[in-house]
């Protein structure tokens, strides 16, 4: 990249300043102090990178917009960069495209602004400042230029990684994550071990608890046994007297009871038991017998019923029949009444006199009636048919009359029309005329002009119009017209034609000549008339036919009328003959022959019904007799049984029913009483048997009592019960009683008292001491075990350990990643430096050799790789601190040239801008530097701008081939400088102040105020800077207080020092 | 007679979860209770099914230390089952061999713990009928290398059940009591209730049946412990054995899941958070009322890769806060940022700058085993103290380590403009 020029709108003291003739190679720009060299450097940096942190802002002092344009070129062509404070840069490409900041950065190889400031565009301050930076940063700047393609530097990345690693793991730090986790893990594991040990105790505790529990139980059991023993002893003491007496009595009882002969006693007991059972049975049987007797008495029936019983049972057998008879008699009565009614009804209908002889019927009469019926039917049919035919004939005659009259009426309009023959003649005439007319026309067309025909037509038209009054004279007009035509065509032909026409007209009864145009009309009229005449003929013929038909119809109607009258008379005669027949056979006069069949049926029905009436009457009579006979018998029996006799037959039936039921009951009762009587007899026999056996037993009992020495049975039973109780007692309480007896009779009462006392003491000890202690032990062990269960939470600590281990693994994995990143970065930097460093150092070594005229031969990396050393002609290695300021600066300048060259080769070539960097160099070395610089910049595509305030530097440079010089205008007037200084927020960076101060002092001794004026900075800033420079020995002070002045202390680097 | 049997194994009662980092205290409590709650669920299931028999196929506690709390809880649960008339059969496995101490001095009547050594058999009688015979054998010590399955034979009345903690030809698990499916088949039992393998699966199907019921509660976020955990319910007939295939019933209370979210096409971290939360929510909803511990991996080509990697911890915190208060709980255990920047490594490699040099250096290390060893040795030197104390011993994968390192360097050195 080559800077071609700039247009400053407003930047520090520059306003509308313009340079546009810069080129590649070395250009020395000379300007006195305050001419704006540093401002220009600031402007170039600002244009390419904007303001960086700590940069002076150079607000426009002379007006104009803060910023401007920069012109430069590269192999692609001319570029123009525009930048104003607070706005983004605009880059106009060679092809005119407007690009943004990013394109600019790409064009600059993405170099960082700070690195540009350090390597490519630096002032004396930056040049010497490099020395003060930390070794690492030096290395970073020297070898990592462009490493990252801009953005974050490798060293800041390393720092970040180290920071992260330190946060994760540090040898003796407590706050690092892994350290914390390790510590927590250790603690958790300790707790886990303790909990596990405690848990192991659990089983032992459990065992001891079981033992303690057993101990307590054993004591409790012992106490229970002792208490029981003590209670027994106390009991013995209390029952002693009673027991002794009881024992004596028991012994006596034993003796008495033992005397009883068991077999006799057993037999007696059995007998007594049997007697008791017998007594109970006897009592029971007697009760049964009494009950039977009462029952028999209770169910015995009355005498009267017993007597009538057979007759009543006989009656009862006929009871159903009687009921049936009564029911049938009523039904037969009702049927008889109904039949009689029906009989009378038929008789009335047939009009039979009561008791009269009924007509008799045979086949011949029936046949005759049928014949009559057929004859009458046929006669009627004939009359009806004739009557219909006669009516139809009358209707036909009337219709024929109507038709004949209508035909006559239709004929009327045609009266007076010429007859058809005359019409035919006229039509023939018209057709002849037409043909003649046509022939004449053809001739006329051949010979006459149109005008002649028009005149002829006009004449014909006029005549035709005059003669149109009558259709009969119209043909004459036609003829006339044709005659005119003929005259016009040719006299001979015309005349001949006209004669023919006249003749034709006359034949047709037409006048000639005919009016023009009427010929066709006449023809149509004649045709119509001809057709009308044909119709009239037809109508007339039709009327005659109809008239004949009418006469025929009238004759037919008359004939029918006559035949009908005859038939009607015949029918009347038949009717009268049939009436005579009916009278002769006793049939009702009004009876129609066809009704005779049903009449005969009704008559037969009447005969049957009358027979039914007679049969039913006989049946009713018979039934009534049966009823009366049974009733008589029933009444007798009722009276015999002393019962009331009802009059009503139905009540009688009911009374007999009741009586029959009573009789049946009496019958059952008698049978039951007989059964009971049998039972009672059996019972009585058994009673006698029992009483016999009782008597026998009583005798044997008396014998046995006597043998056993008992006064009575009750005495014997008392003895026996005592014996049983004693055996029972001896069975149940024998051992205990024996023991009691032994204790009480044989034991020592004093010893018992002593034992009771001893037991009491032992019990007290158990209750008060031993059991309590055992329980306390048990409780304590149980508590302890529970405690262990609660606190020995192995699982909780194990879970915690697991969690911590997982966290630790994760933290270690993270540490590994970060550490690996650092390893990788370190190795890469190492490789990078190894590859790049020789190139840069080689360049720097050559340069320093030339600059120092061989005094120093090389620049190398220190053996410990921490910094650089210069190697002198004697092979000695000197660190920058061991060199003079100027030499150190020359070495740094040489290194920068190497870096710029390296960057140019690898990335992009950028212009070098050096602001008064030769201040500390002696003339020889300054010249050498200019030479080296000139050669550096002379290479294709390179450019170096050297700002200086020293004319001799320019002069030196002018001696170097290809070097251009440029002069900046004179500084501002004092007033303008003050204005520039006073109001603006001149944010002068420290670096700038230092370099400006040194630049100012390079001209000679100056007071503080003068330095401040020349640098354009605040006095206090300058004072502060001077103090630093004094301390490092760059500047020395002359005088004290207000008159104090400052000057540069170095001798080597002063140009033109007085 | 028809009856029901429940088969569970590997209860690992009161066992800590492994491979899980720090969790919120409330969730730690739930996790702490998880194995015990799952056991309570097993008791509930057995009661609900009115099961006649409960088979527990080993590893009831974890480790020989056998937590007291676990044993007490076990005893309580078995007591409830006994009250309901269920008979319980237990064998011990490699995690709880008979040799360990026990806080249970007396098992309740009706709880049968099979001894080690020979297979012993016990009949189950209901209403005078022998409905089943259960055969079993326990581990005497942790490392049981004998083929115990060969000691089983059909004998006694009713349906025949074998109870065994063993490894049926599964190389992924410790080879304790190794045996083959043929050994199981040869015993001619109706059903082998197996323990040891943590994933439920049928080993033999039809007649005879053999199954691992798996753990009752997943124990770590590792893939093997993901998915539903529970027990098998067996419908049996005293004469016919199993009348239908075993029915698996999930009983776990906490699930583990790994979730991969592709951020390709998203423009910023906020959009990524939205997508993650959405996926997270649906994963949580799919757990049917169980707590969820999830591991999240973000991948795909993501525009804000660098920012995401830098803010990973912040993002974890944000997602955890977002999930706070959900019931049942949702916990993000780990976040892996595996997204790639849109910037291609190949492009960087072609630039010839420091980053290109860095990638080349990584490739050199990766290509040379010696260089890789030296690279890791440097780390090991630093970590010596930590390794000793924490017994980490994780195998380090050089390749992935280098990728992570490259990633960190790219993030630190590449400018924002490069990442676009």
């Amino acid at each position: 990249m080559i800077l071609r020029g700039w247009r400053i709108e407003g930047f520090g003291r520059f306003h509308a300043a313009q340079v546009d003739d810069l080129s590649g190679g070395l250009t020395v720009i000379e300007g006195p102090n305050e001419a704006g060299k540093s401002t220009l450097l600031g402007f170039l940096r600002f244009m390419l990178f904007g303001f960086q942190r700590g940069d002076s802002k150079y607000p426009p002092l002379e007006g104009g917009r803060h910023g401007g344009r920069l012109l430069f070129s590269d192999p692609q062509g001319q570029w123009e960069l525009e930048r104003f404070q607070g706005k983004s840069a605009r880059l106009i490409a060679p092809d005119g495209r407007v690009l943004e900041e990013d394109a600019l950065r790409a064009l600059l190889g993405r170099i960082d602004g700070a690195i540009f400031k350090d390597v490519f565009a630096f002032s004396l301050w930056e040049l010497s400042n490099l020395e003060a930076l930390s070794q690492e940063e030096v290395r970073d700047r020297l070898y990592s230029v462009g490493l990252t393609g801009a953005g974050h530097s490798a060293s800041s990345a390393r720092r970040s990684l180290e920071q992260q690693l330190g946060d994760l793991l540090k040898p003796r730090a407590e706050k690092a994550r892994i350290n914390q986790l390790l510590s927590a893990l250790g603690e958790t594991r300790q707790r886990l071990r303790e909990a596990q040990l405690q848990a192991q105790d659990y089983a032992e505790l459990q065992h001891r608890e079981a033992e303690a529990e057993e101990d307590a139980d054993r004591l409790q059991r012992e106490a229970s046994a002792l208490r029981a023993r003590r209670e027994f002893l106390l009991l013995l003491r209390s029952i002693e007297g009673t027991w002794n007496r009881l024992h004596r009595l028991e012994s006596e009882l034993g003796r008495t009871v033992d005397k009883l002969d068991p077999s006799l006693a057993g037999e007696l007991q059995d007998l007594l038991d049997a007697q008791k059972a017998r007594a109970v049975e006897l009592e029971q049987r007697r009760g049964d017998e009494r009950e039977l007797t009462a029952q028999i008495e209770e169910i015995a029936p009355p005498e009267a019923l017993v007597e009538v019983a057979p007759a009543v049972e006989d009656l009862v057998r006929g009871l159903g029949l009687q009921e049936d008879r009564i029911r049938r008699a009523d039904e037969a009565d009702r049927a008889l009444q109904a039949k009689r009614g029906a009989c009378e009804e038929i008789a009335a209908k047939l009009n039979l006199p009561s008791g009269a002889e009924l007509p008799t019927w045979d086949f011949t009469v029936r046949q005759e009636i049928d014949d009559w019926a057929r004859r009458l039917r046929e006669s009627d049919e004939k009359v009806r048919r004739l009557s219909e035919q006669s009516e139809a004939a009358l209707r036909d005659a009337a219709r024929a009359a109507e038709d004949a009259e209508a035909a006559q009426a239709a004929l009327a309009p045609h009266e007076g029309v010429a007859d058809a023959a005359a019409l035919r003649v006229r039509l023939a005439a018209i057709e002849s005329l037409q043909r003649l007319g046509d022939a004449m026309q053809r001739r006329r067309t051949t010979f006459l002009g149109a005008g002649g025909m028009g005149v002829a037509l006009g004449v014909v038209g006029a005549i035709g119009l005059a003669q149109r009054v009558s259709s009969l004279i119209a043909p004459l007009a036609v003829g006339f017209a044709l005659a005119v035509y003929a005259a016009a065509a040719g006299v001979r032909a015309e005349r001949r034609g006209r004669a023919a026409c006249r003749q034709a007209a006359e034949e047709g009864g037409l006048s000639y000549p005919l009016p023009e145009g009427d010929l066709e009309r006449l023809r149509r009229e004649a045709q119509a008339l001809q057709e009308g005449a044909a119709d009239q003929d037809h109508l007339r013929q039709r009327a005659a036919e109809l008239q004949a038909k009418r006469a025929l119809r009238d004759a037919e109607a008359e004939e029918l009328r006559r035949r009908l009258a005859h038939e009607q008379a015949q029918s009347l005669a038949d009717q009268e003959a049939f009436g005579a027949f009916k009278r002769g056979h006793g049939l009702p006069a009004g009876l129609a022959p066809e009704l005779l069949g049903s009449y005969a049926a009704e008559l037969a029905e009447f005969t049957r019904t009358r027979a039914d009436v007679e049969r039913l009457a006989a049946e009713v009579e018979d039934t009534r007799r049966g009823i009366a006979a049974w009733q008589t018998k029933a009444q007798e029996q009722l009276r015999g049984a002393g019962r009331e006799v009802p009059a009503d037959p139905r009540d009688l039936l009911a009374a007999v029913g009741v009586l029959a039921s009573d009789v049946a009951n009496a019958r059952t009762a008698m049978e039951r009483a007989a059964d009971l009587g049998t039972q009672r007899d059996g019972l009585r026999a058994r009673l006698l048997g029992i009483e016999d056996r009782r008597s026998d037993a009583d005798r044997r009992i008396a014998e046995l009592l006597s043998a056993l020495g008992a006064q009575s049975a009750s005495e014997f039973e008392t003895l026996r019960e005592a014996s049983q109780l004693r055996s029972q007692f001896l069975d149940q309480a024998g051992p205990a009683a024996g023991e009691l007896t032994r204790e009480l009779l044989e034991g020592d009462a004093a010893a018992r008292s002593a034992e009771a006392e001893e037991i009491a003491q032992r019990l007290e000890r158990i209750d008060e001491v031993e059991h309590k202690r055992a329980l306390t032990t048990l409780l304590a062990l149980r508590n302890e075990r529970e405690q262990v269960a609660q606190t020995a939470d192995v699982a909780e600590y194990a879970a915690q350990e697991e969690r911590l281990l997982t966290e630790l693994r994760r933290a270690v994995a993270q540490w590994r990643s970060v550490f690996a990143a650092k390893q990788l970065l370190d190795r890469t930097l190492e490789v990078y430096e190894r590859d790049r460093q020789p190139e840069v150092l080689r360049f720097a070594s050559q340069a320093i050799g030339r600059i120092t005229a061989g005094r120093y031969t090389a620049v190398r990396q220190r053996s410990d790789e921490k910094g650089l050393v210069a190697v002198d002609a004697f092979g000695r290695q000197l660190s920058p601190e061991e060199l003079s300021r100027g030499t150190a600066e020359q070495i740094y300048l040489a290194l920068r040239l190497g870096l710029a060259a390296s960057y140019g080769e690898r990335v992009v070539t950028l212009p070098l801008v050096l602001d008064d960097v030769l201040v500390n160099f002696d003339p020889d070395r300054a010249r050498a530097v200019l030479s080296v610089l000139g050669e550096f910049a002379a290479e294709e595509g390179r450019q170096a701008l050297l700002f200086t305030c020293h004319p001799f530097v320019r002069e030196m440079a002018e001696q170097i081939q290809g070097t251009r010089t440029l002069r900046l205008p004179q500084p501002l007037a004092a007033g303008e400088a003050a204005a520039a200084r006073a109001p603006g927020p001149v944010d002068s960076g420290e670096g700038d102040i230092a370099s400006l101060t040194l630049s100012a002092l390079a001209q000679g001794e100056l007071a503080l105020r003068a330095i401040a004026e020349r640098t354009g900075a605040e006095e206090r800033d300058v004072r502060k800077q001077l103090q630093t420079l004094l301390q490092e020995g760059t500047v020395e002070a002359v005088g004290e207080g207000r008159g104090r002045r400052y000057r540069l202390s170095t001798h080597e680097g002063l140009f033109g020092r007085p | 007679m028809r009856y029901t049997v429940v088969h569970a194994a590997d209860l690992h009662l009161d066992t800590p979860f492994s491979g899980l980092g720090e969790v919120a205290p409330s969730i730690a409590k739930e996790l702490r209770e998880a194995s015990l709650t799952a056991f309570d669920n097993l008791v509930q299931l057995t009661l609900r099914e009115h099961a006649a028999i409960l088979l527990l196929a080993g590893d009831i506690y974890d480790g020989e230390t056998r937590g007291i709390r676990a044993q007490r809880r076990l005893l309580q649960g078995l007591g409830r089952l006994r009250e309901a008339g269920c008979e319980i059969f237990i064998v011990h496995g490699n995690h709880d061999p008979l040799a360990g101490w026990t806080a249970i001095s007396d098992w309740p009547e009706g709880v049968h713990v099979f001894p080690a050594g020979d297979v012993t058999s016990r009949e189950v009688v209901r209403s005078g009928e022998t409905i089943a015979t259960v055969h079993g054998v326990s581990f005497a010590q942790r490392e049981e290398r004998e083929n115990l399955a060969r000691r089983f034979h059909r004998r006694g009345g009713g349906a025949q059940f074998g109870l065994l903690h063993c490894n049926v030809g599964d190389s992924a698990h410790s080879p304790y009591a190794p045996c083959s499916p043929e050994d199981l088949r040869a015993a001619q039992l109706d059903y082998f209730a197996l323990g040891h393998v943590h994933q439920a699966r049928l080993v033999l199907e039809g007649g005879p049946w053999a199954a691992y019921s798996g753990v009752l509660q997943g124990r770590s976020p590792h893939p093997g412990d993901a998915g539903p955990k529970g027990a098998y319910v067996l419908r049996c007939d005293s004469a016919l054995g199993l009348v239908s295939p075993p029915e698996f019933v999930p009983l776990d209370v906490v699930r583990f899941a790994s979730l991969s979210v592709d951020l390709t096409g998203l423009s910023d971290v906020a959009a990524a958070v939205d997508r993650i939360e959405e996926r997270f929510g649906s994963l949580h909803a799919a757990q049917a009322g169980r707590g969820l511990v999830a591991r999240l991996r973000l991948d795909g080509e993501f525009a804000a890769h660098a920012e995401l990697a830098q803010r990973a911890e912040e993002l974890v915190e944000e997602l955890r806060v977002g999930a706070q208060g959900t019931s049942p709980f949702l916990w993000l255990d780990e976040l892996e940022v595996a997204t790639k920047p849109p910037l291609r490594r190949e492009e960087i490699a072609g630039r010839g700058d420091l980053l290109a040099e860095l990638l080349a250096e990584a490739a050199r290390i990766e290509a040379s085993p010696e260089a890789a060893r030296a690279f890791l040795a440097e780390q090991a030197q630093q970590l010596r103290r930590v390794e000793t104390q924490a017994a980490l011993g994780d195998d380090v994968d050089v390749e992935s380590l280098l990728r992570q390192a490259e990633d960190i360097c790219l993030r630190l050195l590449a400018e924002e403009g490069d990442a676009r």
Side-chain angles (χ1 to χ4, degrees), chain B residues 38-59:
Chain B
F39 173 67
D40 290 346
N41 288 349
L42 173 68
V43 171
Q44 274 306 116
L45 169 74
T46 312
L47 292 173
R48 196 169 60 237
E49 290 286 345
H50 302 290
I53 297 169
L54 171 64
L55 303 172
L56 298 176
D59 285 1

Side-chain angles (χ1 to χ4, degrees), chain A residues 105 147 152 189 200 202 206 786 793 795-796 799 802-803 806-810 815-817 821 823 828, chain B residues 14 16-22 32 72 103 333-334 354 375 378-379 382 387 389-390 396 404-405 412:
Chain A
R105 304 196 70 180
L147 286 191
H152 314 279
R189 282 182 171 162
Q200 296 280 16
Y202 188 85
Q206 211 174 20
E786 290 293 328
D793 205 344
E796 179 61 47
E802 278 292 340
R803 284 201 294 273
T806 305
E807 289 292 328
L808 185 62
R809 285 200 184 96
R810 285 177 189 170
W815 181 90
R816 277 186 194 280
S817 305
Q823 278 176 291
T828 309
Chain B
D14 218 3
F17 288 93
S18 60
L20 201 57
E22 280 298 334
R32 172 92 166 73
R72 285 153 63 100
D333 174 49
E334 198 178 32
L354 179 72
F375 189 76
E378 209 178 320
Q379 295 212 337
Q382 298 282 327
E387 293 271 9
Q389 276 200 30
V396 180
Q404 288 164 13
L412 284 172

Side-chain angles (χ1 to χ4, degrees), chain A residues 419-437:
Chain A
D419 62 26
L423 278 169
R424 258 192 312 272
V425 174
R426 186 183 290 179
L427 195 58
I430 290 169
E431 278 168 1
S432 291
L433 276 174
Q434 214 159 17
R435 267 191 315 273
L436 289 170

Side-chain angles (χ1 to χ4, degrees), chain A residues 105 110 146-154 156-158 160-161 164 169-171 177-179 182-183 185-186 189 196 198-200 202-203 206 785-786 788-790 792-796 798-800 802-810 812-825 827-829 831-832 835-836, chain B residues 14-23 28 31-32 64-69 72 101-105 221 295 313 320 333-334 351-359 361-362 364-365 371 374-376 378-380 382-383 385-392 394 396 401-402 404-406 408-409 411-418:
Chain A
R105 304 196 70 180
R110 299 203 175 278
L147 286 191
T148 63
H152 314 279
S153 75
S156 72
R158 279 189 86 250
S160 166
L161 291 172
Q164 288 182 46
L169 176 65
K170 258 186 192 166
R177 173 89 177 128
I178 292 174
N179 300 50
L182 282 172
S183 154
L185 189 64
R189 282 182 171 162
Q196 279 170 339
Q198 262 189 318
Q200 296 280 16
Y202 188 85
Q206 211 174 20
R785 186 172 60 80
E786 290 293 328
V788 168
Q790 297 294 324
D793 205 344
V794 177
E796 179 61 47
Q800 208 168 322
E802 278 292 340
R803 284 201 294 273
L804 285 170
L805 264 176
T806 305
E807 289 292 328
L808 185 62
R809 285 200 184 96
R810 285 177 189 170
V812 167
Q814 195 185 350
W815 181 90
R816 277 186 194 280
S817 305
V818 178
F819 191 77
K822 184 170 166 289
Q823 278 176 291
L824 206 54
L825 183 60
R827 279 165 185 244
T828 309
L829 284 172
V831 169
Y832 211 84
D835 293 351
R836 303 281 180 251
Chain B
D14 218 3
T15 307
F17 288 93
S18 60
L20 201 57
E22 280 298 334
V23 291
L31 292 177
R32 172 92 166 73
E64 291 176 357
T65 53
R66 303 181 183 187
I68 296 162
R69 199 168 81 120
R72 285 153 63 100
W101 70 274
T102 172
I104 300 172
S105 48
R295 284 189 166 180
E313 280 183 34
R320 284 178 180 168
D333 174 49
E334 198 178 32
R351 291 200 321 206
D353 61 6
L354 179 72
L355 287 178
E357 191 60 56
L358 192 130
L359 295 184
E361 179 61 23
R364 272 196 293 277
I365 296 169
F375 189 76
L376 291 180
E378 209 178 320
Q379 295 212 337
Q382 298 282 327
L383 281 174
R385 177 171 160 267
V386 182
E387 293 271 9
T388 328
Q389 276 200 30
L392 297 172
D394 280 351
V396 180
L401 191 62
L402 285 169
Q404 288 164 13
E406 282 174 1
I408 293 171
C409 290
R411 215 158 56 226
L412 284 172
L413 292 169
E415 204 190 4
E416 279 300 303
D418 287 339

Side-chain angles (χ1 to χ4, degrees), chain A residues 819-988:
Chain A
F819 191 77
K822 184 170 166 289
Q823 278 176 291
L824 206 54
L825 183 60
D826 283 350
R827 279 165 185 244
T828 309
L829 284 172
E830 209 174 281
V831 169
Y832 211 84
E833 285 174 17
R834 194 179 61 220
D835 293 351
R836 303 281 180 251
Q837 186 171 300
E839 186 187 311
V840 174
L841 291 181
R842 197 165 48 244
F843 194 100
S845 298
Q846 283 175 4
I848 199 68
R850 286 187 56 198
I851 291 167
T852 61
R855 184 176 164 80
Y856 294 96
T857 57
V859 180
R860 284 188 195 151
Q861 180 90 18
R862 252 165 63 166
S863 55
D864 62 0
E865 298 189 352
K866 288 180 179 172
L868 297 164
V869 288
V871 183
D872 69 4
F874 305 103
R876 286 176 300 188
Q877 296 193 349
L878 300 164
S879 66
E881 298 84 47
E882 294 172 291
L883 298 170
S884 73
R885 178 189 177 95
T887 307
E889 285 177 2
Q890 284 150 22
I891 285 173
Y892 290 134
L893 181 61
L895 281 167
R896 280 183 165 90
L897 292 178
L899 288 167
S902 171
Y903 190 77
E905 273 168 34
R906 287 183 288 109
V907 188
V908 64
T909 309
L910 296 175
L912 276 173
V913 186
L914 306 88
D915 181 12
D916 248 346
V917 294
L918 307 185
V919 171
N920 296 328
F921 302 170
D922 65 32
D924 291 342
R925 291 200 177 170
R927 197 171 290 113
V929 165
L930 281 170
S931 170
V932 167
L933 211 54
E935 273 177 40
F936 176 87
E939 287 216 5
E940 180 64 33
R942 288 187 189 160
Q943 183 183 34
L945 302 180
L946 175 66
F947 296 158
T948 183
C949 59
H950 301 291
F952 67 87
V953 173
R954 173 179 50 81
E955 285 159 13
M956 270 192 263
E958 280 171 347
Q959 288 164 21
I960 296 164
Q961 201 180 4
T963 304
R964 291 187 65 217
T965 55
L966 205 68
R967 286 178 193 224
L968 289 176
Q970 284 300 308
L972 299 169
E976 288 167 335
R981 203 168 54 242
V986 181
D987 179 46
S988 194

